[in-house]
Amino acid sequence: MESKEIISSPASLSSSARWWGGDTVAVVTGANKGIGFAVVKRFAELGLTAVLTARDVEKGKKATEKLRDRGLENVRFFPLDVTEADSIKTFVSWLQTTFGGLDILVNNAGVSFNEIHENSVGFAETVIKTNFQGPRQLTESLLPLFRLSSSSSRILNISSRLGSINKVRNLKIKATLQNERLSEEEIQGVVDMFVQDVKEGRWRSQGWPEIWTDYSVSKLALNAYARVLAKRFQGRRLSVNCFCPGFTRTSLTRGQGTHSRDAAAEVAVSLALLPPHRLSTGRFFLGFGPYNKSRL
């Protein structure tokens, strides 16, 4: 990460800074539990229309009912599997018909098959498809529906510091991803190279990240895609950023962590709702309280 600067926490979300209303639509993927569920809850508490999506229909319905039982009637559910093209197509059609568009997308859906201190790549293709290729396909499908309002539409990817460029030891791959003219095709090429290295059993020697390797590569690709997309929409009222929530107690970490899903969601939502005059793009946010902002 580069160009770090400390900024004060926006977590208070004072009423004077509120640019959103009940007709502001925020979509959250993988939201039947964990950080995604907490993000939907916080959006709803702040008065937005929150769209909770989940791959499992029954779990998604139960999560939505749980929030409505708390009086949050502004939560809607629709099933979405980001790894399935037909599911994405159906969801996009429903969203357009129901709301006419959206203002905020939080790409939260993600998986890891590693225990905390393990590093297996046995499910590498599934991890890449769920954490990178799925969110990218969903994002591209939703781009025509963003309202591009005067307050700016926002995409926030829930990512990880494990996807930082400094985790890559292969100098050729690092040079490719750091290129200012990086393309989506080149990002896909890096991902394809990783999957091939896994298939041929040489991933350990090729300079890939050493911790949670498949997960790290998926987030590395997601961060790179966010940077490319931010540049594509520079000056066109669409903000694209990433946020690492840190070591959060969720099922992904098997319940281990230094803070709760609600604490992580509070920061994520604060970033997604930054006042227009404070909103940046192509950034990677990390931490809590006063936290670091760095270029992707």
Side-chain angles (χ1 to χ4, degrees):
M1 294 181 288
E2 304 173 62
S3 305
K4 289 185 179 179
E5 60 179 296
I6 302 296
I7 62 175
S8 59
S9 170
S12 60
L13 292 173
S14 63
S15 58
S16 61
R18 296 192 182 192
W19 54 268
W20 64 89
D23 59 348
T24 303
V25 177
V27 173
V28 185
T29 66
N32 62 284
K33 61 181 181 179
I35 294 173
F37 177 82
V39 167
V40 167
K41 177 167 71 72
R42 188 65 181 130
F43 275 141
E45 289 171 345
L46 291 168
L48 292 82
T49 295
V51 179
L52 185 156
T53 76
R55 179 176 55 186
D56 188 299
V57 174
E58 290 307 312
K59 290 180 180 179
K61 287 180 177 179
K62 287 181 179 179
T64 304
E65 290 169 3
K66 185 176 181 180
L67 293 174
R68 288 182 173 171
D69 286 345
R70 298 181 184 182
L72 299 174
E73 297 294 333
N74 49 333
V75 177
R76 297 287 299 273
F77 168 69
F78 199 85
L80 171 63
D81 184 343
V82 300
T83 69
E84 296 292 337
D86 287 345
S87 180
I88 291 175
K89 183 177 179 180
T90 300
F91 172 72
V92 171
S93 177
W94 171 83
L95 189 72
Q96 184 172 25
T97 300
T98 306
F99 298 109
L102 78 160
D103 304 281
I104 299 169
L105 170 64
V106 178
N107 280 313
N108 169 75
V111 296
S112 173
F113 295 90
N114 285 298
E115 297 294 334
I116 295 299
H117 299 295
E118 288 183 354
N119 191 31
S120 166
V121 293
F123 298 92
E125 288 188 85
T126 299
V127 172
I128 294 294
K129 189 174 184 179
T130 305
N131 297 0
F132 165 60
Q133 292 171 332
R136 182 183 67 172
Q137 185 176 356
L138 174 65
T139 299
E140 293 293 332
S141 298
L142 286 174
L143 285 175
L145 296 189
F146 276 97
R147 295 192 175 104
L148 302 181
S149 65
S150 58
S151 59
S152 295
S153 296
R154 295 113 188 274
I155 296 172
L156 184 68
N157 298 313
I158 304 300
S159 189
S160 172
R161 72 187 75 187
L162 293 177
S164 301
I165 193 69
N166 61 9
K167 303 296 184 182
V168 179
R169 294 167 292 120
N170 185 307
L171 297 181
K172 184 177 179 180
I173 296 171
K174 183 178 287 189
T176 297
L177 294 175
Q178 288 180 317
N179 191 327
E180 289 297 322
R181 296 184 178 180
L182 178 67
S183 67
E184 292 178 38
E185 291 74 20
E186 287 173 313
I187 299 171
Q188 186 60 52
V190 168
V191 168
D192 291 342
M193 186 188 308
F194 169 68
V195 172
Q196 193 62 34
D197 284 347
V198 169
K199 288 181 177 179
E200 298 182 8
R202 58 170 183 261
W203 60 275
R204 293 183 184 275
S205 63
Q206 295 304 303
W208 298 105
E210 296 179 307
I211 301 173
W212 276 24
T213 302
D214 51 6
Y215 181 85
S216 297
V217 172
S218 72
K219 294 302 186 179
L220 179 73
L222 184 65
N223 292 344
Y225 169 65
R227 177 161 61 91
V228 171
L229 187 62
K231 183 174 291 187
R232 192 204 309 176
F233 279 86
Q234 187 73 47
R236 294 171 59 188
R237 295 185 295 180
L238 176 64
S239 168
V240 185
N241 294 305
C242 294
F243 168 57
C244 171
F247 194 26
T248 310
R249 293 189 293 274
T250 67
S251 60
L252 196 71
T253 62
R254 311 303 187 261
Q256 299 182 55
T258 58
H259 51 268
S260 69
R261 66 184 186 181
D262 288 329
E266 178 69 26
V267 179
V269 170
S270 296
L271 291 171
L273 297 180
L274 280 169
H277 69 278
R278 293 183 57 195
L279 188 64
S280 57
T281 190
R283 299 285 175 173
F284 184 96
F285 294 90
L286 170 66
F288 291 82
Y291 49 84
N292 289 325
K293 179 177 75 173
S294 67
R295 189 176 60 160
L296 280 169

